[in-house]
Amino acid sequence: MSYREKIERYKKHQLTEEETKEVEAEIEKTEAISDYLADRLMDDLEEEFFSKDSGEQTDAKEKMEQNTASAKEFEAYVKKSIHRSFRRMGMAVGGVVLAVVLFIQFGMSPLMSSLYYNPAKTEILETRSGDITYQTSYSQIEVDFHVYAELSLPCKVCDNVQALSNGYGNYQILISPVISFGTKRGTTTAGQIRKGKLELYNPDYLQGGPANYFVGYGLNRDRDFVSQMKENVIEEDGELTIYNRWFYGTLEDGKAAIDELEDDHTMYQAYVSFDRPKTFTEVNEIMDSLKEQDVWPSLVWVAVYGSEDGGEVVGYACDAPQALAPVAWNEKYPELTLYEKDGYDDADYEKAEQKLQDESVMTQHLVSMLRYMGDQHKFINMMEEYTSSIFDKSIADYIEENGISSYGFVCIATKADMLKMLEMDDIIGIVPESWN
């Protein structure tokens, strides 16, 4: 860049800070040289002046005074222009700095947050009952987690989820239980979401039960599971070779494991297996039969086939209707919530309970939950290390086409409850986990 070009850019405030300082230094140097040359000129003029006659001296003096006055006027004009340019540049730089500070404080945080999953986004709905107005709030993380939990986290559908924004796409979250059983409380866990990445301080919290906790995993759905279990145990030379994938290998080992539990009131998370795939109606009949035997499993979650091989553990809660999302969302996802009103209403709750017994409604409920999850791309990306492909579109399509077929259920129960369950012909195996 030539010096003339640099001067032009300086006048237009297009130089960098370092280049601006260089030009200003050159201007200062030029002013000093000009002052020096002016002084020398004055000396030369005086010397010439005194070497002439008086008439010529007078004319020369008048011209010199005129030239000096013009030079001073020009010098004052230049200095004033430079100072004005500097003031303008200072105001412009100050304005830019102020704009940057304001953008960082008030603009960047919302912009950054919009790029990532925002769990704190909240929808507040008002409902009226007589003269009283109620407000119901649905946060993004609460809706997403409730749907996610009902689909893939047995016995955790009643947990409360809160999110606190720290700005710039960062949040703190707290997942706390609202229901406890016996002498143990459900585990509270906390964590943070940093620009769409979830970090739980208790990561095991979001781990669902392994597929082989259910007897039917890997078995032929067209035949009863008991005969297949026996066929997969071979005795040779007094040694047993077990080909079953079930957690305990044999039904006898599973029964013995429950017998060895302490005879107290400890609550377990029990993975209960059917002797064969059951229809929706058959599952409800089994639940009614358990109550007749004074067995009252809590937080019952029904495992459902999401494909021909049943490789994915997916299901729905069947003993208490959950207010998963705003009722208006049912327009896009029918029966996503089983309620017809936002906010609690006794009559509406009873209707929702009745829907739990309606196969067509529950099939649609399950399909809508899967489709809703499939549309929550930011949430799924955040949860990818905790889940596999349970929200794949093919699972919703399969259930929509084939209906609900179950290979077992999960519940909270005592040892005594589990022993009574094993006496039923429909139930052939249970895997208990410590519940907390």
mmCIF file of all heavy atoms in Angstrom, residues 231-278:
data_model
loop_
_atom_site.group_PDB
_atom_site.id
_atom_site.type_symbol
_atom_site.label_atom_id
_atom_site.label_comp_id
_atom_site.label_asym_id
_atom_site.label_seq_id
_atom_site.Cartn_x
_atom_site.Cartn_y
_atom_site.Cartn_z
ATOM 1 N N GLU A 231 -35.361 -76.582 26.049
ATOM 2 C CA GLU A 231 -34.611 -77.103 24.906
ATOM 3 C C GLU A 231 -33.207 -76.513 24.831
ATOM 4 O O GLU A 231 -32.290 -77.146 24.291
ATOM 5 C CB GLU A 231 -35.363 -76.784 23.606
ATOM 6 C CG GLU A 231 -36.659 -77.552 23.440
ATOM 7 C CD GLU A 231 -37.471 -77.034 22.263
ATOM 8 O OE1 GLU A 231 -36.985 -76.082 21.597
ATOM 9 O OE2 GLU A 231 -38.582 -77.550 22.008
ATOM 10 N N ASN A 232 -33.050 -75.332 25.374
ATOM 11 C CA ASN A 232 -31.764 -74.645 25.307
ATOM 12 C C ASN A 232 -30.841 -74.969 26.483
ATOM 13 O O ASN A 232 -29.835 -74.293 26.698
ATOM 14 C CB ASN A 232 -31.969 -73.131 25.226
ATOM 15 C CG ASN A 232 -32.526 -72.694 23.879
ATOM 16 O OD1 ASN A 232 -32.332 -73.364 22.875
ATOM 17 N ND2 ASN A 232 -33.237 -71.589 23.874
ATOM 18 N N VAL A 233 -31.207 -75.992 27.241
ATOM 19 C CA VAL A 233 -30.339 -76.473 28.321
ATOM 20 C C VAL A 233 -29.996 -77.928 28.013
ATOM 21 O O VAL A 233 -30.862 -78.790 27.987
ATOM 22 C CB VAL A 233 -31.026 -76.356 29.691
ATOM 23 C CG1 VAL A 233 -30.099 -76.917 30.781
ATOM 24 C CG2 VAL A 233 -31.407 -74.919 29.990
ATOM 25 N N ILE A 234 -28.723 -78.187 27.765
ATOM 26 C CA ILE A 234 -28.276 -79.532 27.384
ATOM 27 C C ILE A 234 -27.327 -80.081 28.444
ATOM 28 O O ILE A 234 -26.400 -79.395 28.874
ATOM 29 C CB ILE A 234 -27.569 -79.498 26.007
ATOM 30 C CG1 ILE A 234 -28.537 -78.989 24.934
ATOM 31 C CG2 ILE A 234 -27.058 -80.887 25.639
ATOM 32 C CD1 ILE A 234 -27.887 -78.795 23.579
ATOM 33 N N GLU A 235 -27.588 -81.336 28.846
ATOM 34 C CA GLU A 235 -26.735 -81.985 29.847
ATOM 35 C C GLU A 235 -25.893 -83.052 29.164
ATOM 36 O O GLU A 235 -26.419 -83.956 28.521
ATOM 37 C CB GLU A 235 -27.576 -82.617 30.952
ATOM 38 C CG GLU A 235 -26.738 -83.254 32.049
ATOM 39 C CD GLU A 235 -27.569 -83.782 33.190
ATOM 40 O OE1 GLU A 235 -28.818 -83.628 33.148
ATOM 41 O OE2 GLU A 235 -26.996 -84.355 34.125
ATOM 42 N N GLU A 236 -24.596 -82.943 29.309
ATOM 43 C CA GLU A 236 -23.655 -83.925 28.744
ATOM 44 C C GLU A 236 -22.591 -84.257 29.785
ATOM 45 O O GLU A 236 -21.931 -83.349 30.314
ATOM 46 C CB GLU A 236 -22.996 -83.378 27.478
ATOM 47 C CG GLU A 236 -23.967 -83.179 26.308
ATOM 48 C CD GLU A 236 -23.259 -82.652 25.080
ATOM 49 O OE1 GLU A 236 -22.046 -82.366 25.172
ATOM 50 O OE2 GLU A 236 -23.915 -82.518 24.025
ATOM 51 N N ASP A 237 -22.452 -85.552 30.058
ATOM 52 C CA ASP A 237 -21.459 -86.015 31.037
ATOM 53 C C ASP A 237 -21.605 -85.316 32.373
ATOM 54 O O ASP A 237 -20.622 -84.938 33.038
ATOM 55 C CB ASP A 237 -20.038 -85.801 30.503
ATOM 56 C CG ASP A 237 -19.788 -86.576 29.209
ATOM 57 O OD1 ASP A 237 -20.380 -87.651 29.055
ATOM 58 O OD2 ASP A 237 -19.016 -86.069 28.371
ATOM 59 N N GLY A 238 -22.851 -85.135 32.785
ATOM 60 C CA GLY A 238 -23.110 -84.539 34.089
ATOM 61 C C GLY A 238 -22.933 -83.031 34.144
ATOM 62 O O GLY A 238 -23.073 -82.423 35.206
ATOM 63 N N GLU A 239 -22.628 -82.400 33.015
ATOM 64 C CA GLU A 239 -22.452 -80.948 32.984
ATOM 65 C C GLU A 239 -23.539 -80.306 32.124
ATOM 66 O O GLU A 239 -23.920 -80.848 31.084
ATOM 67 C CB GLU A 239 -21.078 -80.571 32.434
ATOM 68 C CG GLU A 239 -19.922 -81.002 33.329
ATOM 69 C CD GLU A 239 -18.588 -80.515 32.793
ATOM 70 O OE1 GLU A 239 -18.589 -79.847 31.723
ATOM 71 O OE2 GLU A 239 -17.562 -80.791 33.431
ATOM 72 N N LEU A 240 -23.998 -79.137 32.586
ATOM 73 C CA LEU A 240 -25.049 -78.414 31.868
ATOM 74 C C LEU A 240 -24.432 -77.366 30.939
ATOM 75 O O LEU A 240 -23.528 -76.626 31.324
ATOM 76 C CB LEU A 240 -26.001 -77.731 32.837
ATOM 77 C CG LEU A 240 -26.879 -78.637 33.711
ATOM 78 C CD1 LEU A 240 -27.762 -77.781 34.620
ATOM 79 C CD2 LEU A 240 -27.750 -79.541 32.850
ATOM 80 N N THR A 241 -24.918 -77.335 29.715
ATOM 81 C CA THR A 241 -24.565 -76.282 28.766
ATOM 82 C C THR A 241 -25.832 -75.494 28.468
ATOM 83 O O THR A 241 -26.814 -76.064 27.983
ATOM 84 C CB THR A 241 -23.999 -76.858 27.460
ATOM 85 O OG1 THR A 241 -22.840 -77.653 27.767
ATOM 86 C CG2 THR A 241 -23.624 -75.738 26.501
ATOM 87 N N ILE A 242 -25.804 -74.187 28.807
ATOM 88 C CA ILE A 242 -27.011 -73.357 28.696
ATOM 89 C C ILE A 242 -26.862 -72.383 27.530
ATOM 90 O O ILE A 242 -25.896 -71.625 27.460
ATOM 91 C CB ILE A 242 -27.252 -72.569 30.005
ATOM 92 C CG1 ILE A 242 -27.395 -73.553 31.180
ATOM 93 C CG2 ILE A 242 -28.490 -71.687 29.885
ATOM 94 C CD1 ILE A 242 -27.460 -72.867 32.518
ATOM 95 N N TYR A 243 -27.824 -72.442 26.621
ATOM 96 C CA TYR A 243 -27.801 -71.564 25.451
ATOM 97 C C TYR A 243 -28.808 -70.412 25.580
ATOM 98 O O TYR A 243 -28.936 -69.592 24.668
ATOM 99 C CB TYR A 243 -28.128 -72.367 24.184
ATOM 100 C CG TYR A 243 -27.077 -73.409 23.867
ATOM 101 C CD1 TYR A 243 -27.259 -74.741 24.242
ATOM 102 C CD2 TYR A 243 -25.901 -73.067 23.203
ATOM 103 C CE1 TYR A 243 -26.303 -75.710 23.958
ATOM 104 C CE2 TYR A 243 -24.931 -74.026 22.914
ATOM 105 C CZ TYR A 243 -25.139 -75.349 23.290
ATOM 106 O OH TYR A 243 -24.185 -76.296 23.013
ATOM 107 N N ASN A 244 -29.507 -70.368 26.701
ATOM 108 C CA ASN A 244 -30.478 -69.286 26.884
ATOM 109 C C ASN A 244 -29.783 -67.956 27.131
ATOM 110 O O ASN A 244 -28.746 -67.897 27.789
ATOM 111 C CB ASN A 244 -31.383 -69.587 28.086
ATOM 112 C CG ASN A 244 -32.241 -70.811 27.855
ATOM 113 O OD1 ASN A 244 -32.750 -71.012 26.769
ATOM 114 N ND2 ASN A 244 -32.384 -71.641 28.879
ATOM 115 N N ARG A 245 -30.377 -66.889 26.614
ATOM 116 C CA ARG A 245 -29.802 -65.558 26.813
ATOM 117 C C ARG A 245 -30.348 -64.880 28.066
ATOM 118 O O ARG A 245 -29.871 -63.805 28.436
ATOM 119 C CB ARG A 245 -30.104 -64.664 25.594
ATOM 120 C CG ARG A 245 -29.574 -65.205 24.284
ATOM 121 C CD ARG A 245 -29.888 -64.228 23.165
ATOM 122 N NE ARG A 245 -29.517 -64.749 21.857
ATOM 123 C CZ ARG A 245 -29.695 -64.103 20.727
ATOM 124 N NH1 ARG A 245 -30.264 -62.899 20.726
ATOM 125 N NH2 ARG A 245 -29.335 -64.628 19.583
ATOM 126 N N TRP A 246 -31.333 -65.492 28.688
ATOM 127 C CA TRP A 246 -31.941 -64.856 29.859
ATOM 128 C C TRP A 246 -30.910 -64.660 30.953
ATOM 129 O O TRP A 246 -29.951 -65.431 31.079
ATOM 130 C CB TRP A 246 -33.115 -65.705 30.358
ATOM 131 C CG TRP A 246 -33.891 -65.055 31.478
ATOM 132 C CD1 TRP A 246 -34.323 -63.779 31.521
ATOM 133 C CD2 TRP A 246 -34.313 -65.682 32.688
ATOM 134 N NE1 TRP A 246 -34.999 -63.550 32.690
ATOM 135 C CE2 TRP A 246 -35.010 -64.705 33.430
ATOM 136 C CE3 TRP A 246 -34.178 -66.970 33.221
ATOM 137 C CZ2 TRP A 246 -35.572 -64.960 34.670
ATOM 138 C CZ3 TRP A 246 -34.736 -67.233 34.468
ATOM 139 C CH2 TRP A 246 -35.435 -66.236 35.181
ATOM 140 N N PHE A 247 -31.115 -63.650 31.772
ATOM 141 C CA PHE A 247 -30.154 -63.258 32.799
ATOM 142 C C PHE A 247 -29.720 -64.430 33.679
ATOM 143 O O PHE A 247 -28.531 -64.585 33.980
ATOM 144 C CB PHE A 247 -30.776 -62.151 33.653
ATOM 145 C CG PHE A 247 -29.838 -61.564 34.671
ATOM 146 C CD1 PHE A 247 -28.858 -60.665 34.296
ATOM 147 C CD2 PHE A 247 -29.939 -61.915 36.009
ATOM 148 C CE1 PHE A 247 -27.989 -60.116 35.235
ATOM 149 C CE2 PHE A 247 -29.079 -61.376 36.952
ATOM 150 C CZ PHE A 247 -28.103 -60.477 36.560
ATOM 151 N N TYR A 248 -30.675 -65.265 34.098
ATOM 152 C CA TYR A 248 -30.353 -66.394 34.980
ATOM 153 C C TYR A 248 -30.091 -67.699 34.231
ATOM 154 O O TYR A 248 -29.725 -68.694 34.839
ATOM 155 C CB TYR A 248 -31.470 -66.613 36.009
ATOM 156 C CG TYR A 248 -31.459 -65.588 37.104
ATOM 157 C CD1 TYR A 248 -32.498 -64.675 37.245
ATOM 158 C CD2 TYR A 248 -30.396 -65.509 37.996
ATOM 159 C CE1 TYR A 248 -32.489 -63.728 38.247
ATOM 160 C CE2 TYR A 248 -30.373 -64.560 39.000
ATOM 161 C CZ TYR A 248 -31.424 -63.674 39.118
ATOM 162 O OH TYR A 248 -31.410 -62.726 40.112
ATOM 163 N N GLY A 249 -30.303 -67.714 32.941
ATOM 164 C CA GLY A 249 -30.035 -68.933 32.180
ATOM 165 C C GLY A 249 -31.165 -69.930 32.242
ATOM 166 O O GLY A 249 -31.716 -70.334 31.218
ATOM 167 N N THR A 250 -31.545 -70.355 33.452
ATOM 168 C CA THR A 250 -32.648 -71.317 33.600
ATOM 169 C C THR A 250 -33.718 -70.722 34.507
ATOM 170 O O THR A 250 -33.432 -69.870 35.356
ATOM 171 C CB THR A 250 -32.154 -72.639 34.212
ATOM 172 O OG1 THR A 250 -31.759 -72.420 35.571
ATOM 173 C CG2 THR A 250 -30.988 -73.206 33.423
ATOM 174 N N LEU A 251 -34.948 -71.201 34.350
ATOM 175 C CA LEU A 251 -36.042 -70.734 35.189
ATOM 176 C C LEU A 251 -35.824 -71.117 36.644
ATOM 177 O O LEU A 251 -36.191 -70.374 37.564
ATOM 178 C CB LEU A 251 -37.367 -71.306 34.679
ATOM 179 C CG LEU A 251 -37.757 -70.910 33.250
ATOM 180 C CD1 LEU A 251 -39.039 -71.613 32.817
ATOM 181 C CD2 LEU A 251 -37.932 -69.393 33.144
ATOM 182 N N GLU A 252 -35.207 -72.276 36.868
ATOM 183 C CA GLU A 252 -34.945 -72.743 38.229
ATOM 184 C C GLU A 252 -33.983 -71.799 38.955
ATOM 185 O O GLU A 252 -34.157 -71.481 40.136
ATOM 186 C CB GLU A 252 -34.372 -74.156 38.210
ATOM 187 C CG GLU A 252 -35.356 -75.239 37.774
ATOM 188 C CD GLU A 252 -35.638 -75.231 36.275
ATOM 189 O OE1 GLU A 252 -34.823 -74.626 35.529
ATOM 190 O OE2 GLU A 252 -36.660 -75.797 35.855
ATOM 191 N N ASP A 253 -32.949 -71.355 38.229
ATOM 192 C CA ASP A 253 -31.992 -70.422 38.840
ATOM 193 C C ASP A 253 -32.660 -69.096 39.188
ATOM 194 O O ASP A 253 -32.358 -68.479 40.220
ATOM 195 C CB ASP A 253 -30.825 -70.160 37.880
ATOM 196 C CG ASP A 253 -29.898 -71.355 37.762
ATOM 197 O OD1 ASP A 253 -29.957 -72.231 38.653
ATOM 198 O OD2 ASP A 253 -29.131 -71.413 36.784
ATOM 199 N N GLY A 254 -33.583 -68.658 38.330
ATOM 200 C CA GLY A 254 -34.285 -67.414 38.595
ATOM 201 C C GLY A 254 -35.155 -67.509 39.829
ATOM 202 O O GLY A 254 -35.184 -66.582 40.654
ATOM 203 N N LYS A 255 -35.853 -68.647 39.978
ATOM 204 C CA LYS A 255 -36.689 -68.854 41.162
ATOM 205 C C LYS A 255 -35.829 -68.914 42.424
ATOM 206 O O LYS A 255 -36.163 -68.323 43.469
ATOM 207 C CB LYS A 255 -37.463 -70.170 41.005
ATOM 208 C CG LYS A 255 -38.278 -70.598 42.218
ATOM 209 C CD LYS A 255 -39.404 -69.616 42.511
ATOM 210 C CE LYS A 255 -40.411 -70.229 43.480
ATOM 211 N NZ LYS A 255 -39.834 -70.664 44.752
ATOM 212 N N ALA A 256 -34.693 -69.573 42.344
ATOM 213 C CA ALA A 256 -33.803 -69.692 43.500
ATOM 214 C C ALA A 256 -33.263 -68.318 43.915
ATOM 215 O O ALA A 256 -33.095 -68.037 45.109
ATOM 216 C CB ALA A 256 -32.650 -70.639 43.175
ATOM 217 N N ALA A 257 -32.983 -67.454 42.957
ATOM 218 C CA ALA A 257 -32.455 -66.126 43.269
ATOM 219 C C ALA A 257 -33.455 -65.309 44.074
ATOM 220 O O ALA A 257 -33.081 -64.584 45.003
ATOM 221 C CB ALA A 257 -32.097 -65.393 41.984
ATOM 222 N N ILE A 258 -34.742 -65.437 43.748
ATOM 223 C CA ILE A 258 -35.768 -64.711 44.500
ATOM 224 C C ILE A 258 -35.939 -65.329 45.882
ATOM 225 O O ILE A 258 -36.119 -64.620 46.882
ATOM 226 C CB ILE A 258 -37.094 -64.697 43.718
ATOM 227 C CG1 ILE A 258 -36.906 -63.892 42.429
ATOM 228 C CG2 ILE A 258 -38.217 -64.098 44.565
ATOM 229 C CD1 ILE A 258 -38.112 -63.860 41.538
ATOM 230 N N ASP A 259 -35.863 -66.666 45.989
ATOM 231 C CA ASP A 259 -35.978 -67.331 47.286
ATOM 232 C C ASP A 259 -34.899 -66.871 48.258
ATOM 233 O O ASP A 259 -35.102 -66.837 49.473
ATOM 234 C CB ASP A 259 -35.883 -68.856 47.126
ATOM 235 C CG ASP A 259 -37.135 -69.435 46.470
ATOM 236 O OD1 ASP A 259 -38.210 -68.806 46.600
ATOM 237 O OD2 ASP A 259 -37.039 -70.500 45.828
ATOM 238 N N GLU A 260 -33.747 -66.516 47.718
ATOM 239 C CA GLU A 260 -32.617 -66.133 48.567
ATOM 240 C C GLU A 260 -32.677 -64.681 49.036
ATOM 241 O O GLU A 260 -31.839 -64.266 49.846
ATOM 242 C CB GLU A 260 -31.303 -66.359 47.807
ATOM 243 C CG GLU A 260 -31.004 -67.841 47.561
ATOM 244 C CD GLU A 260 -29.830 -68.035 46.630
ATOM 245 O OE1 GLU A 260 -29.237 -67.000 46.211
ATOM 246 O OE2 GLU A 260 -29.510 -69.188 46.292
ATOM 247 N N LEU A 261 -33.629 -63.902 48.555
ATOM 248 C CA LEU A 261 -33.756 -62.514 49.010
ATOM 249 C C LEU A 261 -34.192 -62.469 50.465
ATOM 250 O O LEU A 261 -34.802 -63.412 50.982
ATOM 251 C CB LEU A 261 -34.777 -61.765 48.144
ATOM 252 C CG LEU A 261 -34.450 -61.620 46.660
ATOM 253 C CD1 LEU A 261 -35.619 -60.956 45.924
ATOM 254 C CD2 LEU A 261 -33.170 -60.816 46.444
ATOM 255 N N GLU A 262 -33.873 -61.372 51.144
ATOM 256 C CA GLU A 262 -34.242 -61.208 52.545
ATOM 257 C C GLU A 262 -35.765 -61.101 52.692
ATOM 258 O O GLU A 262 -36.440 -60.474 51.871
ATOM 259 C CB GLU A 262 -33.582 -59.956 53.131
ATOM 260 C CG GLU A 262 -32.069 -60.029 53.216
ATOM 261 C CD GLU A 262 -31.603 -61.087 54.207
ATOM 262 O OE1 GLU A 262 -32.342 -61.362 55.176
ATOM 263 O OE2 GLU A 262 -30.506 -61.643 54.015
ATOM 264 N N ASP A 263 -36.280 -61.742 53.757
ATOM 265 C CA ASP A 263 -37.722 -61.687 54.018
ATOM 266 C C ASP A 263 -38.059 -60.416 54.798
ATOM 267 O O ASP A 263 -38.373 -60.439 55.992
ATOM 268 C CB ASP A 263 -38.175 -62.919 54.806
ATOM 269 C CG ASP A 263 -38.107 -64.189 53.986
ATOM 270 O OD1 ASP A 263 -38.608 -64.166 52.848
ATOM 271 O OD2 ASP A 263 -37.539 -65.180 54.463
ATOM 272 N N ASP A 264 -37.945 -59.302 54.155
ATOM 273 C CA ASP A 264 -38.316 -58.025 54.779
ATOM 274 C C ASP A 264 -39.191 -57.260 53.809
ATOM 275 O O ASP A 264 -39.730 -57.838 52.863
ATOM 276 C CB ASP A 264 -37.070 -57.231 55.172
ATOM 277 C CG ASP A 264 -36.139 -56.995 53.972
ATOM 278 O OD1 ASP A 264 -36.594 -57.189 52.819
ATOM 279 O OD2 ASP A 264 -34.979 -56.625 54.186
ATOM 280 N N HIS A 265 -39.331 -55.998 54.042
ATOM 281 C CA HIS A 265 -40.220 -55.199 53.194
ATOM 282 C C HIS A 265 -39.432 -54.364 52.174
ATOM 283 O O HIS A 265 -39.914 -53.332 51.706
ATOM 284 C CB HIS A 265 -41.085 -54.283 54.064
ATOM 285 C CG HIS A 265 -42.014 -55.029 54.971
ATOM 286 N ND1 HIS A 265 -43.100 -55.730 54.499
ATOM 287 C CD2 HIS A 265 -41.989 -55.205 56.314
ATOM 288 C CE1 HIS A 265 -43.735 -56.296 55.516
ATOM 289 N NE2 HIS A 265 -43.073 -55.993 56.633
ATOM 290 N N THR A 266 -38.237 -54.825 51.833
ATOM 291 C CA THR A 266 -37.442 -54.128 50.824
ATOM 292 C C THR A 266 -38.178 -54.117 49.493
ATOM 293 O O THR A 266 -38.756 -55.116 49.074
ATOM 294 C CB THR A 266 -36.072 -54.814 50.645
ATOM 295 O OG1 THR A 266 -35.366 -54.769 51.884
ATOM 296 C CG2 THR A 266 -35.250 -54.116 49.575
ATOM 297 N N MET A 267 -38.132 -52.961 48.825
ATOM 298 C CA MET A 267 -38.780 -52.833 47.530
ATOM 299 C C MET A 267 -37.752 -53.083 46.426
ATOM 300 O O MET A 267 -36.619 -52.621 46.499
ATOM 301 C CB MET A 267 -39.382 -51.434 47.355
ATOM 302 C CG MET A 267 -40.282 -50.982 48.494
ATOM 303 S SD MET A 267 -41.683 -52.091 48.792
ATOM 304 C CE MET A 267 -42.627 -51.866 47.302
ATOM 305 N N TYR A 268 -38.172 -53.832 45.412
ATOM 306 C CA TYR A 268 -37.306 -54.150 44.280
ATOM 307 C C TYR A 268 -37.945 -53.659 42.992
ATOM 308 O O TYR A 268 -39.173 -53.536 42.890
ATOM 309 C CB TYR A 268 -37.070 -55.662 44.174
ATOM 310 C CG TYR A 268 -36.321 -56.241 45.348
ATOM 311 C CD1 TYR A 268 -37.005 -56.759 46.441
ATOM 312 C CD2 TYR A 268 -34.931 -56.284 45.350
ATOM 313 C CE1 TYR A 268 -36.322 -57.293 47.521
ATOM 314 C CE2 TYR A 268 -34.235 -56.822 46.425
ATOM 315 C CZ TYR A 268 -34.944 -57.321 47.511
ATOM 316 O OH TYR A 268 -34.252 -57.850 48.584
ATOM 317 N N GLN A 269 -37.101 -53.407 42.016
ATOM 318 C CA GLN A 269 -37.586 -53.148 40.665
ATOM 319 C C GLN A 269 -37.558 -54.496 39.953
ATOM 320 O O GLN A 269 -36.492 -55.016 39.638
ATOM 321 C CB GLN A 269 -36.699 -52.131 39.947
ATOM 322 C CG GLN A 269 -37.234 -51.734 38.572
ATOM 323 C CD GLN A 269 -36.620 -50.439 38.065
ATOM 324 O OE1 GLN A 269 -36.500 -49.459 38.799
ATOM 325 N NE2 GLN A 269 -36.218 -50.426 36.806
ATOM 326 N N ALA A 270 -38.739 -55.060 39.751
ATOM 327 C CA ALA A 270 -38.856 -56.442 39.268
ATOM 328 C C ALA A 270 -39.156 -56.476 37.773
ATOM 329 O O ALA A 270 -40.127 -55.864 37.306
ATOM 330 C CB ALA A 270 -39.956 -57.164 40.037
ATOM 331 N N TYR A 271 -38.326 -57.214 37.020
ATOM 332 C CA TYR A 271 -38.537 -57.443 35.586
ATOM 333 C C TYR A 271 -39.241 -58.778 35.443
ATOM 334 O O TYR A 271 -38.641 -59.838 35.644
ATOM 335 C CB TYR A 271 -37.194 -57.432 34.844
ATOM 336 C CG TYR A 271 -36.564 -56.069 34.778
ATOM 337 C CD1 TYR A 271 -35.916 -55.531 35.891
ATOM 338 C CD2 TYR A 271 -36.624 -55.299 33.618
ATOM 339 C CE1 TYR A 271 -35.340 -54.260 35.843
ATOM 340 C CE2 TYR A 271 -36.053 -54.038 33.561
ATOM 341 C CZ TYR A 271 -35.421 -53.520 34.688
ATOM 342 O OH TYR A 271 -34.852 -52.269 34.636
ATOM 343 N N VAL A 272 -40.532 -58.706 35.121
ATOM 344 C CA VAL A 272 -41.406 -59.882 35.123
ATOM 345 C C VAL A 272 -41.628 -60.361 33.689
ATOM 346 O O VAL A 272 -42.027 -59.581 32.818
ATOM 347 C CB VAL A 272 -42.760 -59.538 35.784
ATOM 348 C CG1 VAL A 272 -43.639 -60.792 35.849
ATOM 349 C CG2 VAL A 272 -42.543 -58.937 37.173
ATOM 350 N N SER A 273 -41.395 -61.675 33.426
ATOM 351 C CA SER A 273 -41.513 -62.233 32.074
ATOM 352 C C SER A 273 -42.754 -63.112 31.936
ATOM 353 O O SER A 273 -43.075 -63.906 32.825
ATOM 354 C CB SER A 273 -40.277 -63.070 31.738
ATOM 355 O OG SER A 273 -39.137 -62.268 31.659
ATOM 356 N N PHE A 274 -43.430 -62.973 30.794
ATOM 357 C CA PHE A 274 -44.579 -63.827 30.478
ATOM 358 C C PHE A 274 -44.106 -65.141 29.868
ATOM 359 O O PHE A 274 -42.976 -65.254 29.386
ATOM 360 C CB PHE A 274 -45.517 -63.114 29.500
ATOM 361 C CG PHE A 274 -46.133 -61.856 30.063
ATOM 362 C CD1 PHE A 274 -46.306 -60.731 29.261
ATOM 363 C CD2 PHE A 274 -46.555 -61.796 31.381
ATOM 364 C CE1 PHE A 274 -46.876 -59.572 29.765
ATOM 365 C CE2 PHE A 274 -47.127 -60.653 31.899
ATOM 366 C CZ PHE A 274 -47.281 -59.525 31.089
ATOM 367 N N ASP A 275 -45.015 -66.146 29.868
ATOM 368 C CA ASP A 275 -44.679 -67.454 29.291
ATOM 369 C C ASP A 275 -44.741 -67.431 27.770
ATOM 370 O O ASP A 275 -44.210 -68.318 27.103
ATOM 371 C CB ASP A 275 -45.614 -68.529 29.839
ATOM 372 C CG ASP A 275 -47.071 -68.264 29.489
ATOM 373 O OD1 ASP A 275 -47.437 -67.076 29.314
ATOM 374 O OD2 ASP A 275 -47.860 -69.221 29.393
ATOM 375 N N ARG A 276 -45.366 -66.410 27.229
ATOM 376 C CA ARG A 276 -45.464 -66.214 25.781
ATOM 377 C C ARG A 276 -45.897 -64.773 25.549
ATOM 378 O O ARG A 276 -46.324 -64.093 26.490
ATOM 379 C CB ARG A 276 -46.491 -67.175 25.162
ATOM 380 C CG ARG A 276 -47.887 -67.013 25.723
ATOM 381 C CD ARG A 276 -48.904 -67.910 25.023
ATOM 382 N NE ARG A 276 -50.215 -67.802 25.639
ATOM 383 C CZ ARG A 276 -51.063 -66.797 25.460
ATOM 384 N NH1 ARG A 276 -50.731 -65.782 24.664
ATOM 385 N NH2 ARG A 276 -52.242 -66.779 26.062
ATOM 386 N N PRO A 277 -45.816 -64.265 24.309
ATOM 387 C CA PRO A 277 -46.282 -62.898 24.037
ATOM 388 C C PRO A 277 -47.757 -62.742 24.381
ATOM 389 O O PRO A 277 -48.578 -63.619 24.073
ATOM 390 C CB PRO A 277 -46.043 -62.736 22.529
ATOM 391 C CG PRO A 277 -44.928 -63.690 22.231
ATOM 392 C CD PRO A 277 -45.177 -64.868 23.119
ATOM 393 N N LYS A 278 -48.091 -61.629 25.036
ATOM 394 C CA LYS A 278 -49.470 -61.368 25.465
ATOM 395 C C LYS A 278 -50.052 -60.177 24.711
ATOM 396 O O LYS A 278 -49.338 -59.207 24.402
ATOM 397 C CB LYS A 278 -49.502 -61.065 26.966
ATOM 398 C CG LYS A 278 -48.928 -62.166 27.852
ATOM 399 C CD LYS A 278 -49.784 -63.409 27.844
ATOM 400 C CE LYS A 278 -49.235 -64.450 28.818
ATOM 401 N NZ LYS A 278 -50.042 -65.704 28.824
#
